[in-house]
Amino acid sequence: MAAPINSLKKNILRTRVSSVLNKDVKQFGKQYLFDDDDETCWNSDQGTPQWVIIDFNQAVSVQEIHVQFQGGFVGKSCLLETPGENNDYVQVFSFQPQDSNQTQIFHLTESVKLSSLRITFDQSTDFFGRITIYKLDILGQAS
């Protein structure tokens, strides 16, 4: 029997984002990615690509990504990446969300063990490249 998967929020050490709309971190900052409040969100500034980097306090095995965008501000082409040689990132999974307000679940084809990840939004449904995320969760197992 496979071990159950859980939210890895409690294992997050640090989160970084590419930008914040108008640099207004009090209203649109990264702290709202994981707060489970339907009234708050991370909103990037314009431009592509946008990204979220998550560092964990220990190695984790990632199996699913749950994300709720604001329709019209959705990442069209998304990559899950891990740090590689020479401070570059290596793609381990790609996904294409629908332009929807609903929480979307993406199952990795294989569990990926890592201590840091970057979700890159290469394109956006917004003409200006903005991304808006109300909920983000990474599910898997802590090692």
Side-chain angles (χ1 to χ4, degrees):
M1 185 170 157
I5 64 172
N6 299 301
S7 171
L8 296 170
K9 287 180 192 178
K10 66 180 185 205
N11 300 93
I12 294 174
L13 179 64
R14 178 177 57 186
T15 304
R16 292 170 279 165
V17 295
S18 51
S19 65
V20 174
L21 184 63
N22 300 323
K23 298 182 182 176
D24 187 351
V25 296
K26 287 185 179 180
Q27 187 170 359
F28 301 115
K30 64 186 178 185
Q31 68 272 22
Y32 300 122
L33 285 167
F34 303 104
D35 69 352
D36 291 323
D37 185 340
D38 292 337
E39 301 296 318
T40 62
C41 63
W42 167 64
N43 199 149
S44 77
D45 217 333
Q46 61 186 14
T48 55
Q50 298 292 333
W51 48 260
V52 173
I53 295 175
I54 302 168
D55 297 322
F56 295 95
N57 59 12
Q58 62 184 14
V60 296
S61 294
V62 175
Q63 296 170 296
E64 292 180 3
I65 299 169
H66 296 203
V67 62
Q68 181 183 7
F69 293 96
Q70 177 178 328
F73 298 88
V74 176
K76 289 194 318 190
S77 173
C78 306
L79 306 173
L80 174 65
E81 303 168 303
T82 59
E85 304 278 324
N86 304 320
N87 297 324
D88 59 349
Y89 280 83
V90 177
Q91 177 183 329
V92 295
F93 181 69
S94 65
F95 55 103
Q96 289 72 39
Q98 296 177 349
D99 191 354
S100 165
N101 294 327
Q102 302 299 313
T103 299
Q104 300 178 58
I105 300 173
F106 302 96
H107 303 274
L108 277 66
T109 49
E110 291 184 25
S111 178
V112 178
K113 190 170 186 175
L114 48 78
S115 58
S116 180
L117 66 84
R118 178 171 75 178
I119 301 172
T120 300
F121 309 99
D122 277 341
Q123 298 177 358
S124 172
T125 57
D126 174 55
F127 179 76
F128 296 103
R130 295 169 293 191
I131 302 290
T132 302
I133 297 178
Y134 281 88
K135 292 182 183 174
L136 178 63
D137 203 359
I138 309 300
L139 279 74
Q141 300 168 346
S143 298

